[in-house]
Amino acid sequence: MTDTVALEYNGQRFELPLLSATTGEKSIDVRDLRKLTGLTAFDPGFGNTASCASRITYVNGEKGILRYRGIPIETVAEKMLFTETAWLLIYGRLPTKAELKTFSARLTNNELLHEGLLHHFDAFPPSGQPMSILSAVVNSLICYSPEIMDTTNEEAMRNAVAAIISKVRTIAAFSYRKAMGLPFVYPDPNRSYCDNFLHMMFSLPNKPHQPTEAAVRALNLFLMLHADHEQNCSTSTVRIVGSAETNLFSSVASGICALWGKLHGGANVAVFEMLSRLSGGEETVPEFVERVKRREVRLMGFGHRVYKTFDPRAKILKKAVFDLLDAEHTDDPLIDTALELEQAALNDDYFKERHLYPNVDFYSGMILRALKIPLNMYTVMFAIGRMPGWIANWRENNEGQPKLARPRQLYEGPVETPFIPIEFR
Ligand code: CMC
């Protein structure tokens, strides 16, 4: 089997190395392409470019496979908790009981915010966008605790990791409380990660909130399923920003901004808005599907750059929605609309021909709705879940000497423009 690929150009033949993934996929190594041939590779949107080599997460879009450090997402969903998943992604293997205990203790030690930081929440208007608040406050953490910027040794790195994963949850809950005009509820060190988040969101000074086991389990599941997804838009952003040797906190803050967009993490909000319109009778499902096919709108929560079959996370979430609603003895009219829309799309040639299936965002909002998380927090929830993946990728990229990310371009502007003095223009 050849381990090079031949390229013929300008009457010359060049050999480019062929690299193999552990799972068998091949990649042409074009690092020396320009040096050898004077050519660059053109790939807007990076749809065909492996921007890095990674050992963290494997996605096979044709077969619908997702594995964290080799463990199938279905197993993660069934057997693990979010904090354990975070450790797995960041440190590369399953933690022992002792390691997990130490990690949980570090998370507890880091759950409070510097009191000075709390004044920032006063400066944001009540209608402030939670994603904007989240990215700003995560980036500001280093102003109050500059020591957590240091990730040059393993102990410091472990503290920085715990600080982000723990504090992001406190920041998210506090931004919600501020917007609602409710007092901050400080974290309770005796609660688990997800229980504690729901406590900070929904407890009142005179009435502590005790989420049900089913709610805590569903939140764990939601966060685990969002924990990493290899080189997506926000993770690539974190890697690119980190490649300039930018600190971990500012790098993940930029990841939060990238996630916000509605083609990425913001899709969970767009799905809800779409389903609400349909459920409210503004338009029937068949009418809406026809508009999608006329390209007037996109069917949000459908399609994926990598998956050309069912997103495995969507399958798990769909079942989890029904489990949670059953356990809470409640119902949601949007579910019927979602099922009708999913069936209509899956049976339609437009979607079949383009291999468009439900992605993670199609059903994730239903879980959040059942957990009483407000709509403007949906993408914030995705960001809390994605934090371990961003950290793991930043860490992997910044091991040793990071290579500064600096893509080339195909210039299409004027070759050289004569300057015209202002009086003659
Ligand atoms: N509704 C209608 N048509 C679609 C959709 C959709 N959701 N997604 C793709 N298409 C069509 C697209 O118009 C194109 O058709 P044609 O070949 O006739 O021009 C074809 O399918 C291929 O689409 P593409 O835009 O080249 O595919 P992409 O890989 O660039 O897009 C995507 C991926 C996620 C941006 C896109 O599928 C989309 O916009 N989906 C809706 C938004 C969404 O749900 N985003 C969440 C993604 S998963 C979670 C995450 O990453 O955060």
Side-chain angles (χ1 to χ4, degrees):
M1 178 94 132
T2 171
D3 54 2
T4 59
V5 168
L7 172 75
E8 285 190 2
Y9 172 65
N10 257 353
Q12 268 187 290
R13 187 183 161 90
F14 304 94
E15 300 279 332
L16 295 169
L18 199 56
L19 307 175
S20 289
T22 46
T23 40
E25 293 88 347
K26 304 279 181 200
S27 189
I28 304 170
D29 183 345
V30 294
R31 277 176 292 185
D32 284 338
L33 181 66
R34 190 163 176 275
K35 199 163 77 188
L36 292 170
T37 64
L39 299 171
T40 56
F42 181 65
D43 185 18
F46 311 120
N48 206 33
T49 294
S51 63
C52 61
S54 180
R55 298 177 302 279
I56 304 168
T57 288
Y58 174 67
V59 178
N60 182 318
E62 278 69 38
K63 296 187 181 152
I65 296 173
L66 168 60
R67 297 184 194 127
Y68 293 164
R69 300 283 187 182
I71 300 185
I73 194 65
E74 293 77 8
T75 310
V76 171
E78 194 191 326
K79 301 207 187 300
M80 294 177 70
L81 291 175
F82 176 62
T83 47
E84 192 181 8
T85 307
W87 206 98
L88 167 74
L89 285 166
I90 296 167
Y91 300 112
R93 60 173 170 79
L94 290 167
T96 62
K97 265 189 192 167
E99 284 165 336
L100 196 54
K101 204 170 154 206
T102 309
F103 184 49
S104 296
R106 276 186 203 267
L107 293 176
T108 303
N109 286 341
N110 276 287
E111 63 193 5
L112 289 173
L113 300 181
H114 190 289
E115 286 291 313
L117 200 58
L118 300 189
H119 299 302
H120 288 243
F121 289 94
D122 290 331
F124 293 114
S127 58
Q129 288 287 334
M131 282 299 271
S132 150
I133 297 175
L134 189 71
S135 62
V137 180
V138 166
N139 204 16
S140 308
L141 283 171
I142 46 180
C143 302
Y144 291 89
S145 318
E147 71 286 354
I148 53 178
M149 256 171 89
D150 172 24
T151 48
T152 49
N153 64 70
E154 195 49 35
E155 177 60 17
M157 183 73 203
R158 280 177 194 265
N159 266 332
V161 166
I164 296 187
I165 292 187
S166 190
K167 290 182 199 301
V168 72
R169 166 191 58 164
T170 313
I171 297 168
F174 281 19
S175 64
Y176 165 72
R177 303 288 298 202
K178 183 74 202 165
M180 298 301 290
L182 292 167
F184 295 143
V185 172
Y186 283 71
D188 175 349
N190 298 312
R191 295 190 188 229
S192 67
Y193 190 90
C194 290
D195 181 4
N196 212 349
F197 174 73
L198 295 170
H199 157 65
M200 285 189 274
M201 287 285 288
F202 300 123
S203 281
L204 293 173
N206 55 348
K207 195 170 172 224
H209 176 70
Q210 284 302 342
T212 61
E213 248 179 61
V216 172
R217 178 72 210 147
L219 181 54
N220 264 293
L221 183 74
F222 174 93
L223 297 177
M224 288 189 290
L225 293 181
H226 287 82
D228 194 35
H229 209 244
E230 54 117 303
Q231 306 313 315
N232 54 81
C233 177
S234 56
T235 303
S236 299
T237 302
V238 171
R239 278 200 180 243
I240 287 178
V241 174
S243 80
E245 297 198 11
T246 302
N247 72 79
L248 176 60
F249 290 79
S250 303
S251 300
V252 300
S254 62
I256 294 170
C257 296
L259 186 73
W260 195 356
K262 81 171 174 0
L263 294 188
H264 190 13
N268 57 16
V269 174
V271 168
F272 172 85
E273 288 167 348
M274 172 186 77
L275 293 177
S276 298
R277 274 196 317 273
L278 294 170
S279 182
E282 271 180 48
E283 191 177 19
T284 65
V285 166
E287 282 165 358
F288 176 72
V289 169
E290 285 312 310
R291 279 210 300 133
V292 172
K293 288 158 64 176
R294 290 199 301 272
R295 293 161 197 272
E296 289 168 24
V297 278
R298 284 212 159 188
L299 174 43
M300 301 311 285
F302 254 69
H304 197 276
R305 174 62 59 79
V306 181
Y307 292 120
K308 299 303 162 199
T309 180
F310 274 93
D311 178 335
R313 302 166 299 175
K315 281 192 198 166
I316 299 169
L317 281 167
K318 183 176 176 181
K319 178 175 177 308
V321 173
F322 287 102
D323 290 349
L324 179 60
L325 292 175
D326 273 358
E328 304 280 298
H329 307 294
T330 174
D331 200 6
D332 186 343
L334 287 196
I335 281 282
D336 296 332
T337 311
L339 291 172
E340 187 189 346
L341 184 55
E342 183 189 19
Q343 274 320 303
L346 291 175
N347 290 326
D348 192 296
D349 285 343
Y350 174 94
F351 298 90
K352 283 191 209 166
E353 282 159 13
R354 290 168 179 77
H355 306 287
L356 301 172
Y357 292 86
N359 62 45
V360 67
D361 291 309
F362 196 70
Y363 283 104
S364 66
M366 302 279 164
I367 296 263
L368 298 177
R369 220 165 113 84
L371 291 172
K372 312 265 185 304
I373 305 286
L375 179 63
N376 66 357
M377 292 280 290
Y378 282 16
T379 315
V380 168
M381 300 307 295
F382 192 153
I384 299 174
R386 186 52 56 87
M387 212 45 87
W390 289 335
I391 295 170
N393 275 277
W394 185 93
R395 194 167 182 251
E396 186 177 72
N397 206 47
N398 287 56
E399 275 166 2
Q401 191 65 41
K403 177 95 180 156
L404 177 71
R406 199 325 184 168
R408 296 261 174 186
Q409 65 169 7
L410 184 70
Y411 177 67
E412 290 185 327
V415 175
E416 194 170 342
T417 309
F419 176 77
I420 302 166
I422 197 157
E423 56 273 24
F424 299 114
R425 282 178 226 157

